Amino acid sequence: MAEPRFDELIHASTRLSIMAMVAAGTGVEFRFIRDELGVSDSVLSKHLAALESAGYLTVRKESLGRGWRRTLVDITDEGDAAFHGHVAALDAIIGRAGRRGDPAAGGTGAAADAPAGDGAPREA
Amino acid sequence: MEKEQEARAALDDVRRRQESVGRELSRHRPRWWMDLLYALGFYVVLASLELGAGISLAAAGVGFALLFLAVALGIRRAARGGVSGRRRVWTPGRVAAAAVWLAGILGVFWAARTLIEGHLPEWAAPMPAAVPAAVLSWFFVRWLGRIGFGPRRPAGAE
């Protein structure tokens, strides 16, 4: 369980959603985030730029050939720590830090979805 | 009280967003027939071991081609999704587990071949012996899919 640390930068709803999505996967596509959040390209770009300049995310372009490109977003270790610290702080506010079995209590990150017994350790 | 409600709503939103990523990963995971292609490739490689230098080499080539085709099709399908994969797939524990899987598959093949050897000609023994190993390799590739893309989710599940 991460140390609770409330982070003003990612507390805003859109930014927290972005962090939640990129914390759950690698190479999360710009288009996918935009469609999920229902925001415009420019709004998403501004939030991504703010999070990238804080060192929480990396944004990269990938060529798909024939002139097609896509933009992929990845969380950094620093961003991952900030996100999980913020989630732990939110858990602490509602008084369920450390409780098991609650999907929102520490169950952040796609790894938490994996059923037990897949022969692999769970990530923190 | 208001702060608590705000925190609860934020956590609900986090959970919802991460579930949507999980669904996206699940949508673009390899199809069942790609897993089957992989197991078939594994079977062909193992079953053709004793067919003689020339034929074994050709059959192994076909088997490896099936294996690579299955992997390539899976990667191509995953690349079309909005999320490339899960984070921290290859932890040391999972690398060790994958090594145990591969050792187990080869061990099952070797054990089955040893059991069958006395009842069939040498060149034919690997063919039935490769069946349980291929079945195990199918479970192995399903396991790889689960660690790479998360648990399977029914279409449209919320």
Side-chain angles (χ1 to χ4, degrees), chain A residues 8 16-17 25 28 32 38 47 51 53 56 65 67-68 78-79 85 87-88 94 96 110 113-115 117 121:
Chain A
E8 286 291 347
L16 186 59
S17 294
V28 183
F32 175 70
H47 285 302
L51 293 168
S53 65
Y56 289 176
W68 288 90
E78 195 182 345
V87 167
I94 62 172
R96 68 177 171 199
D113 293 333

Side-chain angles (χ1 to χ4, degrees), chain A residues 6 11 13 16-17 19-32 36-37 60 64 70 72 75-77 80 83-84 87 90-91 93-94 96 103-104 107-124, chain B residues 1-25 27 78-98 101 143 146-153:
Chain A
F6 197 89
H11 185 58
S13 169
L16 186 59
S17 294
M19 293 298 286
M21 291 170 83
V22 295
T26 58
V28 183
E29 209 180 327
F30 181 96
R31 178 177 49 88
F32 175 70
E36 282 291 322
L37 300 184
R60 65 195 157 94
L64 299 174
R70 63 179 187 170
L72 301 175
I75 198 167
T76 61
D77 288 342
D80 194 55
F83 171 69
H84 284 101
V87 167
L90 294 174
D91 273 331
I93 290 170
I94 62 172
R96 68 177 171 199
T108 53
D113 293 333
D118 61 354
R122 299 285 187 88
E123 293 95 355
Chain B
M1 190 67 184
E2 195 181 320
K3 206 173 177 186
E4 191 180 322
Q5 278 178 347
E6 194 187 324
R8 200 178 293 277
L11 285 171
D12 285 346
D13 192 51
V14 164
R15 195 198 63 229
R16 213 169 39 246
R17 299 301 176 196
Q18 296 203 321
E19 280 174 358
S20 73
V21 170
R23 277 197 302 277
E24 180 69 4
L25 278 169
R27 259 199 294 277
R80 287 178 174 169
V83 185
S84 302
R86 295 174 89 193
R87 297 188 66 228
R88 299 192 192 100
V89 169
W90 288 111
T91 59
R94 283 176 180 164
V95 171
W101 265 107
W143 175 75
R146 196 161 75 176
I147 65 168
F149 298 93
R152 227 168 254 279
R153 292 158 196 260

Side-chain angles (χ1 to χ4, degrees), chain B residues 21-33:
Chain B
V21 170
R23 277 197 302 277
E24 180 69 4
L25 278 169
S26 188
R27 259 199 294 277
H28 294 276
R29 69 188 301 146
R31 303 292 300 273
W32 64 270
W33 57 265

